[in-house]
Amino acid sequence: MKPCPCGSALPYSECCEPYIQGSRKPPTAEALMRSRYTAYTEHAIEYIIDTCTRNGKNDIDARQTKQWSENSQWLGLKILSVEKGGGEDTEGTVEFEAVYEWDGLKDIHHEKALFKKLNDAWFYDAGEIIPKTIVRTAPKIGRNEPCPCGSGRKYKHCHGRTPNPSFP
């Protein structure tokens, strides 16, 4: 049985697939968030669009969304927090991180998403992207320090050199 990409312990056929196929509605904002992530992994762009409010649909470029979905390797979903969004609520917020790789670069899409319940169904309404601060893991190499490659040359004359197309 195929595991569900959303990270739940249930298999895909019992977790997100019924929502994406339209045989069931997600009962909570978090369930909708998980199924939308899974829709990206399954390239189910119509589901992503159909589960947006009118406000949310205005922010989606279907062609670009499809390209992102198909050209990414989806590595996992992490739910960071959930506020409201239960069966009796009409609004809810889910903060999450979706980890993916595109063109050899690993990235984390960190978002705080607002969901609304309309006519007894949950919809994505809007999201706030939370930027990540990039932290250097290795010490910075000074321009005049020896190049770490071991050539004996200064970094600025070796691997730190900015390519100049007019200078060989």
Side-chain angles (χ1 to χ4, degrees), residues 145-155 158:
E145 291 180 32
C147 190
C149 76
S151 68
R153 295 167 55 186
K154 288 183 180 182
Y155 180 69
C158 194

Side-chain angles (χ1 to χ4, degrees), residues 7-115:
S8 96
L10 295 172
Y12 174 61
S13 62
E14 295 175 30
C15 190
C16 292
E17 185 177 39
Y19 305 141
I20 293 170
Q21 297 297 321
S23 60
R24 287 192 348 227
K25 292 180 185 176
T28 65
E30 181 180 352
L32 178 60
M33 176 61 247
R34 288 180 176 279
S35 68
R36 285 173 56 84
Y37 169 82
T38 299
Y40 277 100
T41 71
E42 299 295 312
H43 319 303
I45 306 309
E46 289 301 315
Y47 179 78
I48 293 165
I49 294 169
D50 290 345
T51 55
C52 288
T53 63
R54 186 175 320 181
N55 182 42
K57 284 181 184 176
N58 291 338
D59 294 337
I60 290 186
D61 177 330
R63 187 183 58 76
Q64 189 176 38
T65 301
K66 181 178 182 186
Q67 183 182 19
W68 185 35
S69 169
E70 292 175 348
N71 293 324
S72 295
Q73 179 183 359
W74 299 94
L75 304 173
L77 174 68
K78 183 177 181 182
I79 303 296
L80 303 174
S81 68
V82 178
E83 297 171 24
K84 298 184 181 178
E88 302 300 314
D89 297 317
T90 57
E91 288 190 352
T93 303
V94 180
E95 184 176 350
F96 67 94
E97 291 180 340
V99 183
Y100 66 98
E101 187 175 303
W102 175 317
D103 200 22
L105 298 174
K106 186 175 175 183
D107 200 0
I108 299 173
H109 176 87
H110 185 175
E111 182 176 340
K112 192 169 188 178
L114 174 64
F115 295 87

